Amino acid sequence: MRDFPEHPDWLWSSPQPKRSYDVVIVGGGGHGLATAYYLAKNHGITDVAVLERGWLAGGNMARNTTIIRSNYLWDESAGIYEHALKLWEGLEEDLGYPILFSRRGVLNLAHSLQDVRESVRRVHANRLNGIDAEWLGPEEVKEVCPIVNVSPGVRYPVLGATYQPRAGIAKHDYVAWGYARAAAAMGVHLVENCEVTGIEVTGGRVRAVETAQGRIAAGTVALCAAGHSSVVGAMAGVKLPLQSHPLQALVSELLEPVHPTVVMSNAVHVYVSQAHKGELVMGAGIDAYNSYRQRGAFHIIERQMSAALELFPIFARAHVLRTWGGVVDVSPDASPIVGPTPVENLYVNCGWGTGGFKATPGVGWCYAHTIAHGEPHPLNAPFSLERFTTGALVDEHGAAAVAH
Amino acid sequence: MLLIPCPWCGPRDEAEFRYGGQAHVAYPEDPAALSDEEWARYLFFRDNPKGRFAERWNHTAGCRRWFNVVRDTATNEWVSA
Ligand SMILES: Cc1cc2nc3c(=O)[nH]c(=O)nc-3n(C[C@H](O)[C@H](O)[C@H](O)COP(=O)(O)OP(=O)(O)OC[C@H]3O[C@@H](n4cnc5c(N)ncnc54)[C@H](O)[C@@H]3O)c2cc1C
Ligand SMILES: [Zn+2]
């Protein structure tokens, strides 16, 4: 494991917002910051403000469990997640900032015959898309991750797993800081404590945003509000097919390195990795009801712990140190929505639900392209808002359900 | 954990319930007459307010009945049962 860099001083300036910008990005999470960075870097658009209600990356960006992978089923998803993964591989160099991307692989476990069939199918689909994917039997699973219980006697035995060696984890706050620093250096304004409270639309076209710091005119407004996307969309009269749910996670106290990879199980509903510092990081599915409270119920944690213990008996004496929750924007097909809206010059990026951290560089790249060119990048074109009308859904429930 | 006010059994733990999402979503009277746009609205678009939300719950491990309540999604407080 690597040493950590010193805790940084301020990495970006906090300017007073101007009265007008070419592009206003609503939401200073990972996606908003990455979008600002690629607008400046790839398209030379630097008259950009990122408006954040709270502090930068204080939303889901600081709350996720940092799993990065691209082994989704459909071509459309493979395209954008694999683009992101390739960017992750060079991101530290690109940003000139450590992000501690640790390529340690991900195992997606199969516990039933149906799981096995779906998993093998996904491995083949991944390979056709040039994504590294293998099917492993129980003994091979044990070789990759010796602490997984593969004995046949448990309630949900491990019948095998898909394995993506290039998957991994990164340090989410460093990713945000890296993007923020690099974007600010190119002239982007990062404005904290600046909640957007209204969106001004006249003649079918977006003109400005109302904020806690006054009215700010905008040529283009790009939403990146994750769990609050429905709320900001409604400000412009744009209804989105999203439901906001609490999603929880937890960490144990610091432990010796015991867990070399990332293990996910949809069937028993848990996923586990071990962070750089040594905490076990675990999560599961969303809390069932709609809510904007960043907390969930303890029975969800209890269930994920019992699932974790069945898979990893060695964790029996580990203590939970901290649990928390974020608010995630869940779409009907478990795929994101990235592109234009019925309002001219208003773009939306949302619906990443439980799994948008891994996409951060990829979506930033494609969303910036969409904003700069006024039309989607080929990789986000399938993720249009219209797909819910045309029926061209990208159903990733299988690859995304519990998975992050 | 939410303490959910079942109108028949009184307040019970959330673990006894199944969530049913937005209340009062009626099946279209004449589905075949809907445009694709209208059908999409019915199928995929639900309200998602930060604030008062009329929603359905089923008391699956109790009386097994459906009921509607209004909850504030910003605070999780019950507004009316
Ligand atoms: C517990 C948990 C675990 C997760 N695990 C994973 C994982 O392992 N892998 C993975 O790929 N993904 C994971 N995710 C999902 C991932 O975190 C999100 O999909 C992703 O972070 C969303 O993009 P973002 O970073 O821009 O969101 P956020 O960081 O939430 O950014 C949105 C920002 O918009 C701001 N905002 C909202 N409304 C307004 C307004 N009116 N005005 C101004 N600003 C506003 C918010 O304050 C927030 O900072 C997880 C999420 C959670 C909660
Ligand atoms: Zn009841």
Side-chain angles (χ1 to χ4, degrees):
Chain A
M1 293 204 183
R2 299 178 36 176
D3 285 340
F4 285 93
E6 290 288 300
H7 189 77
D9 289 334
W10 291 109
L11 292 171
W12 56 86
S13 52
S14 302
Q16 282 296 108
K18 296 192 299 173
R19 302 284 38 112
S20 154
Y21 291 92
D22 287 347
V23 180
V24 162
I25 295 171
V26 181
H31 291 195
L33 294 168
T35 302
Y37 171 75
Y38 293 113
L39 271 175
K41 180 169 183 239
N42 293 357
H43 305 283
I45 299 174
T46 56
D47 188 29
V48 176
V50 179
L51 307 183
E52 167 54 47
R53 183 168 69 114
W55 60 93
L56 285 191
N60 292 340
M61 188 60 176
R63 294 159 195 270
N64 67 68
T65 46
T66 82
I67 297 172
I68 294 169
R69 62 192 178 89
S70 65
N71 56 352
Y72 283 70
L73 176 64
W74 299 108
D75 296 354
E76 294 85 348
S77 320
I80 195 157
Y81 289 109
E82 177 61 17
H83 179 55
L85 183 50
K86 292 214 169 78
L87 290 171
W88 281 114
E89 287 167 340
L91 195 57
E92 193 153 306
E93 223 163 279
D94 188 29
L95 295 177
Y97 195 77
I99 55 159
L100 307 197
F101 176 52
S102 158
R103 184 188 283 182
R104 55 178 66 187
V106 63
L107 289 166
N108 293 85
L109 303 181
H111 300 276
S112 66
L113 187 56
Q114 181 61 22
D115 271 0
V116 171
R117 288 176 177 146
E118 282 178 12
S119 303
V120 172
R121 177 187 179 202
R122 189 159 45 74
V123 165
H124 289 307
N126 289 163
R127 287 195 180 161
L128 288 172
N129 280 312
I131 291 170
D132 57 320
E134 297 166 40
W135 168 254
L136 306 184
E139 287 311 314
E140 294 165 301
V141 168
K142 190 126 192 123
E143 272 166 39
V144 173
C145 187
I147 60 172
V148 178
N149 179 11
V150 296
S151 76
V154 298
R155 175 73 182 81
Y156 297 104
V158 174
L159 301 183
T162 69
Y163 184 49
Q164 182 178 26
R166 284 162 63 242
I169 55 175
K171 216 168 141 47
H172 45 190
D173 37 3
Y174 284 28
V175 175
W177 296 340
Y179 274 119
R181 187 182 79 136
M186 289 185 286
V188 170
H189 281 186
L190 306 175
V191 187
E192 295 173 279
N193 300 312
C194 189
E195 178 166 5
V196 170
T197 54
I199 299 178
E200 208 178 293
V201 178
T202 54
R205 182 179 172 157
V206 75
R207 309 285 169 179
V209 291
E210 290 296 337
T211 80
Q213 302 187 29
R215 179 182 186 273
I216 299 174
T220 293
V221 174
L223 307 183
C224 277
H228 279 76
S229 295
S230 297
V231 177
V232 290
M235 292 174 192
V238 175
K239 189 162 179 176
L240 299 165
L242 300 174
Q243 299 282 282
S244 295
H245 289 271
L247 177 66
Q248 305 185 68
L250 65 92
V251 290
S252 72
E253 80 267 54
L254 306 188
L255 300 167
E256 291 296 311
V258 288
H259 183 22
T261 181
V262 180
V263 172
M264 318 184 66
S265 167
N266 281 5
V268 305
H269 243 69
V270 73
Y271 63 88
V272 188
S273 69
Q274 188 169 19
H276 301 82
K277 266 192 301 188
E279 317 98 304
L280 298 170
V281 181
M282 300 188 203
I286 53 173
D287 281 56
Y289 50 85
N290 292 26
S291 180
Y292 289 83
R293 286 277 274 143
Q294 287 176 315
R295 61 181 297 181
F298 201 71
H299 67 275
I300 305 279
I301 303 272
E302 236 177 322
R303 283 177 196 165
Q304 86 194 39
M305 296 306 280
S306 60
L309 280 188
E310 173 153 309
L311 288 176
F312 302 96
I314 190 182
F315 295 166
R317 282 156 200 269
H319 295 110
V320 172
L321 191 68
R322 203 152 40 84
T323 78
W324 67 89
V327 177
V328 296
D329 42 333
V330 176
S331 75
D333 58 357
S335 284
I337 302 166
V338 188
T341 68
V343 176
E344 209 182 322
N345 289 8
L346 176 71
Y347 296 91
V348 69
N349 164 50
C350 63
W352 291 95
T354 61
F357 173 71
K358 67 178 70 65
T360 303
V363 68
W365 182 287
C366 294
Y367 199 34
H369 176 106
T370 304
I371 295 161
H373 293 270
E375 57 182 66
H377 186 283
L379 290 178
N380 66 287
F383 298 105
S384 67
L385 186 51
E386 287 100 74
R387 76 176 185 275
F388 299 98
T389 306
T390 62
L393 304 187
V394 186
D395 185 352
E396 285 291 355
H397 284 286
V402 174
H404 300 273
Chain B
M1 188 179 309
L2 299 181
L3 196 57
I4 300 176
C6 174
W8 291 282
C9 310
R12 306 288 305 177
D13 278 352
E14 179 193 331
E16 295 181 9
F17 294 81
R18 236 354 128 64
Y19 191 54
Q22 185 182 345
H24 311 300
V25 180
Y27 189 75
E29 270 180 29
D30 185 5
L34 297 190
S35 66
D36 287 353
E37 177 77 21
E38 289 163 333
W39 183 244
R41 292 271 149 180
Y42 166 68
L43 215 50
F44 297 122
F45 289 70
R46 292 292 177 270
D47 293 346
N48 188 25
K50 184 176 186 175
R52 289 175 175 222
F53 187 50
E55 64 190 7
R56 283 154 36 94
W57 291 90
N58 187 315
H59 195 182
T60 41
C63 63
R64 299 174 61 191
R65 290 209 262 183
W66 285 99
F67 58 93
N68 297 343
V69 281
V70 178
R71 185 174 47 94
D72 188 320
T73 62
T75 61
N76 285 345
E77 276 161 18
W78 305 106
V79 179
S80 80

